[in-house]
Amino acid sequence: MSEESLPFNEKVLPIKILKEEWERSIKNPEKFWAEKAKTIDWVKTWDKVLDDSDSPFYRWFVGGILNISYNALDRHLKTPKKNMLAYIWEGEPGEVKTYTFYQLYREVNKLAKIFKNFGLKKGDRVAVYLPMILELPITLLATARIGGIHTVVFSGFSADALAGRINDCEAKILVTSDGAYRRGKTVQLKETADRALENTPTIQKVIVVKRTRQDVSMKGGRDYWYHDLMTEVEPNVYVQPEPMEATEPLFILYTSGTTGKPKGVQHSTGGYLVWAYWTLKWAFDPDERDIWWCTADIGWITGHTYNVYAPLALGITSFIFEGTPDYPAQDRWWDIVEHHGITILYTTPTAIRMFMKFGEDWVNKHDLSTLRLLGSVGEPINPEAWRWYYRVIGKEKLPIIDTWWQTETGGFMIAPLAGLELVQLKPGSATYPLPSVLAEVYDEKGQPTAIGKRGVLVIKTSWPGMLETLWKDPERYKQAYFGRFPNVYYTGDYAVKDPDGYLWLLGRADEVLKVAGHRIGTVELESELVSHPAISEAAVMGKEDPIKGEVPVAFVVLRSGFSPSEELRANIVKHIRNTIGPIATPEAIVIVNKLPKTRSGKIMRRLLKAVLSGAALGDVSTLEDEASIEEVKATYDELKRQLEKK
Ligand code: PRX
């Protein structure tokens, strides 16, 4: 373990505990985590805390045996937490449902029994395609209880995306719903799932939750109603939690990378749970008096860790909301905070910027005095949004916990730690790394950058919540995360360290976009674009957006025989919605005769980016044909004019 100089600077912060904890964790990670992991219930404790003999495949708590559903539920039943609320849920139409830890335990046991009756065994994969309803955490916990591996596909993904993920991990069961509510309307989910199921040979059973009560087709012998199955099973059924090795996978979550195919990020059982537990405790320190509201959908990592595993393991009450922030009115969230007495709000910069646009009056109609902490995640928070959040929501009293992390990291990596020792905040900086995280900013050559100079963020240590590998693709794991610089984890993010040692996260350095906090691979979008019959070449770039952070813009070259039209553009958009999903819809489709390329045939992304941002083009000497960049610019300007006219 490297003995680096500490990232902390005494000038700004007379912090002591944080510094000591961080130092201890770096100097002796095994001792540090052996102490911390005692907060989890183990069937058998580990033989070795960290096995790095096969790095970069790090194995945490080797030999340890535990079950996550036991840690989330059963262990609280012996304490007064048994009758405490685990979840308060509000549906989009306004109904409220609650589950105590005991009630949740009952539901999870019943579903686990159903899974067993269907022949599901340890290690089998369960795919989940559900809206934000409580059957979603129930499904995850029931899967974990019997030792299954879940893979949740966000409900905004298409049939093709769902099928691709199911097939990659060869899931046996799919849990979905008839539909979902969105802005007062119902969205078909089962119909989309049915289209996916035409091409998913491994799926044997489909369990369908009745949510919107719309008509759906049910295939005999394959499709079952969730509520029918749940009433058929003994109400007090007990399913023994499957003893799991700490290093056995808990879930696979697909995320976009720099190549076409999404990456199946594989998380462990033991290390992941320990990291989930401690990161939430350190950063927010929620307890029995709190109502924790993490606004992320469980389809993403934020929802996995901070709507399911961390809060349940800590035994706190979480609030879950099915709807959107502006329906039926632009104060829906503030109504929720007031009505349910939310104490911690953890959300995204995109949501904050949207509320800034709606105006303060919507907020000020409500009493937000129950709030004690605010959090941010998913994309860089610009200082302006930070200040608005601080002033209008936090009334200049509440700290903002800006948490930087990734699907791959399992939990927070860089964040102020209000539960340990709160550092002096700076608007727009996620401050310092958590214990066990040795973060460094590198230049292109792998040397630490000078203070104040932008570089790429790397992590030089292993931490318990770190992904284990990519599902059935260890080579891609090595190449994607450890291929850029030897022996350090490459994050794909730009960062800068300021003179006080604070880290400022500056967005992606690779071909990945963050659109409203959602991770979208430009290469993935490009390969779907060229699968459209009219398109021969495509380049997708992010364009700065005042609300969503950035939005994808597609530059496409048409095949001969096709000519630009509004109809064709609409058809291309429809194609993307069908192949990836509505979340990847490009903001604009710019049809060009030619893409700017280097002499060796590589698309000059830098130039396309400059076109979009209006920045100077810089050196164009390596362009294959300088005229094409002018053409791209002219076409884009023309399109922008057309869009503005509408
Ligand atoms: O670019 C960083 C950005 O989100 C990326 C990870 O995305 P995903 O795997 O979808 O996980 C999102 C939830 C953790 C990072 O590589 N990101 C996340 N949090 C922040 C952030 N960028 C700046 N500040 C943050 N707090």
Side-chain angles (χ1 to χ4, degrees):
M1 203 56 61
S2 135
E3 294 273 327
E4 305 282 313
S5 64
L6 289 173
F8 305 101
N9 185 316
E10 299 291 353
K11 197 171 73 207
V12 176
L13 343 134
I15 48 167
K16 193 165 172 291
I17 310 166
L18 174 59
K19 192 175 155 186
E20 276 171 16
E21 283 288 271
W22 189 89
E23 255 175 20
R24 271 193 336 110
S25 73
I26 300 294
K27 288 202 174 109
N28 196 341
E30 294 210 55
K31 185 161 178 277
F32 183 86
W33 286 106
E35 281 166 26
K36 298 290 173 207
K38 285 187 192 138
T39 49
I40 298 301
D41 278 7
W42 298 83
V43 176
K44 175 188 164 286
T45 48
W46 50 92
D47 303 320
K48 181 143 182 59
V49 174
L50 171 60
D51 175 6
D52 57 5
S53 59
D54 188 27
S55 68
F57 299 94
Y58 296 95
R59 289 154 51 84
W60 283 87
F61 305 110
V62 182
I65 292 181
L66 76 163
N67 181 280
I68 282 218
S69 133
Y70 180 91
N71 272 281
L73 301 167
D74 305 42
R75 70 169 178 159
H76 301 311
L77 305 186
K78 295 170 262 172
T79 77
K81 288 191 180 184
K82 177 180 176 187
N83 298 319
M84 218 182 99
L85 293 183
Y87 284 124
I88 303 172
W89 171 86
E90 187 170 312
E92 179 172 288
E95 73 272 47
V96 172
K97 199 157 136 186
T98 60
Y99 278 123
T100 62
F101 278 91
Y102 181 67
Q103 289 168 328
L104 188 64
Y105 163 84
R106 289 262 62 97
E107 296 301 296
V108 169
N109 271 280
K110 283 192 281 180
L111 186 58
K113 177 69 181 163
I114 293 162
F115 283 161
K116 279 203 162 255
N117 291 347
F118 278 156
L120 207 72
K121 292 184 304 296
K122 176 172 172 170
D124 286 345
R125 273 78 65 202
V126 174
V128 188
Y129 188 58
L130 282 171
M132 276 290 272
I133 53 178
L134 291 175
E135 287 78 0
L136 182 39
I138 290 168
T139 302
L140 305 198
L141 293 161
T143 305
R145 193 166 189 90
I146 63 159
I149 302 169
H150 56 74
T151 189
V152 184
V153 181
F154 174 59
S155 57
F157 279 118
S158 68
D160 282 6
L162 175 61
R165 286 153 172 81
I166 287 174
N167 290 335
D168 189 72
C169 71
E170 300 163 291
K172 276 194 180 161
I173 288 188
L174 171 67
V175 183
T176 186
S177 72
D178 52 355
Y181 287 106
R182 192 154 175 86
R183 294 209 162 81
K185 298 206 180 83
T186 57
V187 179
Q188 263 289 2
L189 226 56
K190 177 64 165 56
E191 202 179 274
T192 313
D194 280 339
R195 267 186 283 126
L197 289 162
E198 286 167 16
N199 301 309
T200 54
T202 56
I203 293 285
Q204 294 165 4
K205 304 285 178 197
V206 179
I207 301 178
V208 187
V209 178
K210 192 168 262 184
R211 175 63 191 130
T212 51
R213 301 181 177 275
Q214 62 210 100
D215 281 341
V216 294
S217 72
M218 297 287 279
K219 189 170 167 185
R222 186 194 71 182
D223 300 354
Y224 300 82
W225 286 108
Y226 179 94
H227 61 271
D228 284 345
L229 296 169
M230 290 291 265
T231 42
E232 279 160 20
V233 75
E234 175 69 32
N236 286 332
V237 66
Y238 171 74
V239 174
Q240 179 84 36
E242 186 73 33
M244 300 296 288
E245 295 273 344
T247 51
E248 280 176 321
L250 171 68
F251 65 85
I252 305 161
L253 189 56
Y254 288 87
T255 191
S256 295
T258 51
T259 55
K261 215 170 126 246
K263 301 191 275 200
V265 170
Q266 176 182 321
H267 276 290
S268 72
T269 297
Y272 171 78
L273 184 64
V274 171
W275 190 247
Y277 180 104
W278 278 101
T279 51
L280 184 58
K281 190 166 172 53
W282 277 326
F284 293 96
D285 198 19
D287 66 23
E288 292 81 356
R289 292 163 296 182
D290 281 307
I291 297 182
W292 158 256
W293 184 15
C294 160
T295 64
D297 193 290
I298 296 174
W300 308 107
I301 190 69
T302 312
H304 277 57
T305 305
Y306 299 110
N307 269 323
V308 186
Y309 294 114
L312 292 175
L314 278 166
I316 60 153
T317 304
S318 299
F319 174 78
I320 305 261
F321 178 49
E322 182 190 35
T324 41
D326 56 349
Y327 184 84
Q330 293 178 344
D331 63 345
R332 181 74 188 261
W333 276 24
W334 316 119
D335 178 64
I336 286 174
V337 169
E338 179 173 11
H339 185 79
H340 294 285
I342 303 296
T343 61
I344 312 178
L345 176 66
Y346 180 50
T347 191
T348 60
T350 288
I352 297 158
R353 290 188 293 259
M354 191 171 62
F355 292 122
M356 284 170 76
K357 200 180 88 186
F358 296 164
E360 292 176 34
D361 290 351
W362 287 106
V363 183
N364 295 336
K365 276 165 64 177
H366 296 277
D367 174 5
L368 306 184
S369 60
T370 52
L371 287 173
R372 71 172 185 88
L373 275 177
L374 303 175
S376 176
V377 62
E379 45 180 322
I381 181 163
N382 46 314
E384 201 192 351
W386 196 102
R387 289 204 182 88
W388 190 91
Y389 197 23
Y390 182 70
R391 181 175 60 80
V392 180
I393 310 301
K395 315 294 179 202
E396 299 189 344
K397 289 197 200 92
L398 310 184
I400 293 174
I401 309 300
D402 176 14
T403 62
W404 177 88
W405 58 296
Q406 308 178 299
T407 304
E408 293 87 343
T409 71
F412 311 147
M413 296 291 280
I414 302 174
L417 303 181
L420 189 61
E421 188 180 25
L422 190 63
V423 304
Q424 189 180 313
L425 301 177
K426 295 188 190 188
S429 167
T431 73
Y432 292 137
L434 268 66
S436 251
V437 179
L438 180 50
E440 191 58 84
V441 182
Y442 273 7
D443 65 15
E444 287 293 307
K445 297 198 181 87
Q447 294 303 312
T449 55
I451 296 296
K453 197 160 173 351
R454 189 181 85 162
V456 289
L457 183 75
V458 299
I459 315 289
K460 302 172 83 172
T461 39
S462 170
W463 62 98
M466 178 181 195
L467 78 163
E468 295 192 291
T469 184
L470 293 176
W471 180 253
K472 286 194 309 198
D473 206 347
E475 275 312 309
R476 192 175 174 199
Y477 164 84
K478 276 206 257 185
Q479 186 265 325
Y481 305 108
F482 295 89
R484 177 74 186 268
F485 305 113
N487 303 322
V488 300
Y489 171 88
Y490 176 67
T491 64
D493 271 37
Y494 283 126
V496 67
K497 208 186 262 187
D498 77 10
D500 295 321
Y502 280 55
L503 286 160
W504 298 72
L505 288 314
L506 305 173
R508 299 290 306 194
D510 56 8
E511 266 88 66
V512 172
L513 304 182
K514 293 292 324 220
V515 180
H518 299 150
R519 189 160 151 178
I520 294 173
T522 53
V523 183
E524 194 180 336
L525 249 168
E526 285 161 9
S527 61
E528 291 305 349
L529 282 166
V530 295
S531 74
H532 186 282
I535 299 177
S536 67
E537 274 188 292
V540 173
M541 303 299 302
K543 177 171 172 279
E544 219 176 282
D545 183 87
I547 306 284
K548 295 179 177 174
E550 59 183 344
V551 288
V553 170
F555 294 89
V556 300
V557 178
L558 298 183
R559 287 185 188 282
S560 60
F562 290 91
S563 51
S565 69
E566 278 312 308
E567 213 183 323
L568 178 61
R569 284 201 184 88
N571 190 276
I572 295 170
V573 166
K574 193 165 154 232
H575 174 75
I576 290 300
R577 294 173 74 91
N578 286 339
T579 50
I580 304 181
I583 57 158
T585 309
E587 164 92 355
I589 311 273
V590 188
I591 298 172
V592 293
N593 292 326
K594 206 174 189 184
L595 289 168
K597 287 189 188 158
T598 60
R599 294 198 177 89
S600 59
K602 262 184 82 181
I603 292 171
M604 295 203 74
R605 295 178 168 274
R606 178 174 63 81
L607 295 187
L608 289 174
K609 188 118 201 143
V611 167
L612 288 181
S613 67
L617 294 185
D619 178 19
V620 289
S621 58
T622 50
L623 261 188
E624 170 202 302
D625 172 1
E626 282 185 37
S628 66
I629 192 72
E630 287 309 316
E631 179 195 295
V632 169
K633 201 167 182 302
T635 315
Y636 181 69
D637 287 344
E638 173 59 23
L639 190 83
K640 213 158 58 176
R641 273 198 296 280
Q642 281 172 15
L643 286 174
E644 278 161 9
K645 265 193 240 152
K646 280 189 185 159

